[in-house]
PDB file of all heavy atoms in Angstrom:
ATOM      1  N   ARG A 232      -7.019  -3.132  -1.330  1.00 98.00           N
ATOM      2  CA  ARG A 232      -7.507  -1.798  -0.921  1.00 98.00           C
ATOM      3  C   ARG A 232      -7.730  -1.782   0.591  1.00 98.00           C
ATOM      4  O   ARG A 232      -7.640  -0.742   1.235  1.00 98.00           O
ATOM      5  CB  ARG A 232      -8.789  -1.457  -1.673  1.00 98.00           C
ATOM      6  CG  ARG A 232      -8.470  -1.012  -3.085  1.00 98.00           C
ATOM      7  CD  ARG A 232      -9.674  -0.770  -3.945  1.00 98.00           C
ATOM      8  NE  ARG A 232      -9.208  -0.311  -5.246  1.00 98.00           N
ATOM      9  CZ  ARG A 232      -9.836  -0.538  -6.397  1.00 98.00           C
ATOM     10  NH1 ARG A 232     -10.968  -1.207  -6.415  1.00 98.00           N
ATOM     11  NH2 ARG A 232      -9.339  -0.073  -7.527  1.00 98.00           N
ATOM     12  N   THR A 303     -16.126  -6.445  -3.281  1.00 98.00           N
ATOM     13  CA  THR A 303     -15.701  -5.319  -4.121  1.00 98.00           C
ATOM     14  C   THR A 303     -16.206  -4.001  -3.542  1.00 98.00           C
ATOM     15  O   THR A 303     -15.449  -3.029  -3.423  1.00 98.00           O
ATOM     16  CB  THR A 303     -16.208  -5.512  -5.568  1.00 98.00           C
ATOM     17  OG1 THR A 303     -15.663  -6.736  -6.055  1.00 98.00           O
ATOM     18  CG2 THR A 303     -15.770  -4.378  -6.479  1.00 98.00           C
ATOM     19  N   PHE A 304     -17.484  -3.958  -3.151  1.00 98.00           N
ATOM     20  CA  PHE A 304     -18.020  -2.743  -2.534  1.00 98.00           C
ATOM     21  C   PHE A 304     -17.268  -2.428  -1.238  1.00 98.00           C
ATOM     22  O   PHE A 304     -16.819  -1.297  -1.027  1.00 98.00           O
ATOM     23  CB  PHE A 304     -19.522  -2.890  -2.237  1.00 98.00           C
ATOM     24  CG  PHE A 304     -20.068  -1.706  -1.489  1.00 98.00           C
ATOM     25  CD1 PHE A 304     -20.512  -0.581  -2.173  1.00 98.00           C
ATOM     26  CD2 PHE A 304     -20.083  -1.682  -0.088  1.00 98.00           C
ATOM     27  CE1 PHE A 304     -20.972   0.539  -1.473  1.00 98.00           C
ATOM     28  CE2 PHE A 304     -20.548  -0.573   0.610  1.00 98.00           C
ATOM     29  CZ  PHE A 304     -20.989   0.537  -0.086  1.00 98.00           C
ATOM     30  N   PHE A 305     -17.110  -3.429  -0.386  1.00 98.00           N
ATOM     31  CA  PHE A 305     -16.534  -3.175   0.936  1.00 98.00           C
ATOM     32  C   PHE A 305     -15.047  -2.810   0.861  1.00 98.00           C
ATOM     33  O   PHE A 305     -14.574  -1.977   1.646  1.00 98.00           O
ATOM     34  CB  PHE A 305     -16.762  -4.378   1.859  1.00 98.00           C
ATOM     35  CG  PHE A 305     -18.097  -4.300   2.554  1.00 98.00           C
ATOM     36  CD1 PHE A 305     -19.248  -4.744   1.925  1.00 98.00           C
ATOM     37  CD2 PHE A 305     -18.211  -3.738   3.819  1.00 98.00           C
ATOM     38  CE1 PHE A 305     -20.486  -4.648   2.546  1.00 98.00           C
ATOM     39  CE2 PHE A 305     -19.439  -3.640   4.450  1.00 98.00           C
ATOM     40  CZ  PHE A 305     -20.584  -4.088   3.818  1.00 98.00           C
ATOM     41  N   GLY A 306     -14.319  -3.416  -0.070  1.00 98.00           N
ATOM     42  CA  GLY A 306     -12.901  -3.061  -0.225  1.00 98.00           C
ATOM     43  C   GLY A 306     -12.757  -1.600  -0.631  1.00 98.00           C
ATOM     44  O   GLY A 306     -11.947  -0.850  -0.075  1.00 98.00           O
ATOM     45  N   ALA A 307     -13.588  -1.177  -1.606  1.00 98.00           N
ATOM     46  CA  ALA A 307     -13.545   0.218  -2.066  1.00 98.00           C
ATOM     47  C   ALA A 307     -14.022   1.164  -0.970  1.00 98.00           C
ATOM     48  O   ALA A 307     -13.420   2.226  -0.736  1.00 98.00           O
ATOM     49  CB  ALA A 307     -14.415   0.375  -3.319  1.00 98.00           C
ATOM     50  N   ALA A 308     -15.081   0.776  -0.261  1.00 98.00           N
ATOM     51  CA  ALA A 308     -15.635   1.644   0.791  1.00 98.00           C
ATOM     52  C   ALA A 308     -14.635   1.824   1.926  1.00 98.00           C
ATOM     53  O   ALA A 308     -14.445   2.941   2.426  1.00 98.00           O
ATOM     54  CB  ALA A 308     -16.944   1.048   1.312  1.00 98.00           C
ATOM     55  N   ALA A 309     -13.994   0.741   2.327  1.00 98.00           N
ATOM     56  CA  ALA A 309     -13.036   0.825   3.433  1.00 98.00           C
ATOM     57  C   ALA A 309     -11.870   1.729   3.057  1.00 98.00           C
ATOM     58  O   ALA A 309     -11.455   2.606   3.828  1.00 98.00           O
ATOM     59  CB  ALA A 309     -12.529  -0.574   3.797  1.00 98.00           C
ATOM     60  N   LYS A 310     -11.331   1.546   1.855  1.00 98.00           N
ATOM     61  CA  LYS A 310     -10.188   2.345   1.405  1.00 98.00           C
ATOM     62  C   LYS A 310     -10.579   3.818   1.315  1.00 98.00           C
ATOM     63  O   LYS A 310      -9.856   4.710   1.774  1.00 98.00           O
ATOM     64  CB  LYS A 310      -9.702   1.804   0.060  1.00 98.00           C
ATOM     65  CG  LYS A 310      -8.413   2.398  -0.470  1.00 98.00           C
ATOM     66  CD  LYS A 310      -8.652   3.623  -1.307  1.00 98.00           C
ATOM     67  CE  LYS A 310      -7.422   4.053  -2.065  1.00 98.00           C
ATOM     68  NZ  LYS A 310      -7.532   5.418  -2.575  1.00 98.00           N
ATOM     69  N   CYS A 311     -11.730   4.077   0.720  1.00 98.00           N
ATOM     70  CA  CYS A 311     -12.177   5.455   0.502  1.00 98.00           C
ATOM     71  C   CYS A 311     -12.456   6.141   1.843  1.00 98.00           C
ATOM     72  O   CYS A 311     -11.963   7.239   2.119  1.00 98.00           O
ATOM     73  CB  CYS A 311     -13.429   5.405  -0.371  1.00 98.00           C
ATOM     74  SG  CYS A 311     -14.025   7.004  -0.862  1.00 98.00           S
ATOM     75  N   GLN A 359     -12.846   4.926  -6.416  1.00 98.00           N
ATOM     76  CA  GLN A 359     -13.522   4.044  -5.423  1.00 98.00           C
ATOM     77  C   GLN A 359     -15.024   4.282  -5.450  1.00 98.00           C
ATOM     78  O   GLN A 359     -15.823   3.362  -5.306  1.00 98.00           O
ATOM     79  CB  GLN A 359     -13.014   4.285  -3.997  1.00 98.00           C
ATOM     80  CG  GLN A 359     -11.521   4.136  -3.806  1.00 98.00           C
ATOM     81  CD  GLN A 359     -10.953   2.857  -4.371  1.00 98.00           C
ATOM     82  OE1 GLN A 359     -11.526   1.787  -4.219  1.00 98.00           O
ATOM     83  NE2 GLN A 359      -9.832   2.957  -5.050  1.00 98.00           N
ATOM     84  N   VAL A 362     -16.463   2.509  -8.335  1.00 98.00           N
ATOM     85  CA  VAL A 362     -16.527   1.066  -8.028  1.00 98.00           C
ATOM     86  C   VAL A 362     -17.705   0.783  -7.091  1.00 98.00           C
ATOM     87  O   VAL A 362     -18.478  -0.156  -7.316  1.00 98.00           O
ATOM     88  CB  VAL A 362     -15.190   0.587  -7.387  1.00 98.00           C
ATOM     89  CG1 VAL A 362     -15.301  -0.844  -6.878  1.00 98.00           C
ATOM     90  CG2 VAL A 362     -14.040   0.710  -8.389  1.00 98.00           C
ATOM     91  N   MET A 363     -17.866   1.609  -6.059  1.00 98.00           N
ATOM     92  CA  MET A 363     -18.980   1.392  -5.114  1.00 98.00           C
ATOM     93  C   MET A 363     -20.326   1.526  -5.817  1.00 98.00           C
ATOM     94  O   MET A 363     -21.223   0.705  -5.619  1.00 98.00           O
ATOM     95  CB  MET A 363     -18.893   2.391  -3.951  1.00 98.00           C
ATOM     96  CG  MET A 363     -17.837   2.039  -2.933  1.00 98.00           C
ATOM     97  SD  MET A 363     -17.942   3.136  -1.503  1.00 98.00           S
ATOM     98  CE  MET A 363     -16.923   4.499  -2.033  1.00 98.00           C
TER      99      MET A 363
END
Side-chain angles (χ1 to χ4, degrees):
R232 282 175 178 149
T303 301
F304 175 86
F305 273 84
K310 188 271 192 196
C311 185
Q359 304 310 317
V362 172
M363 283 187 273

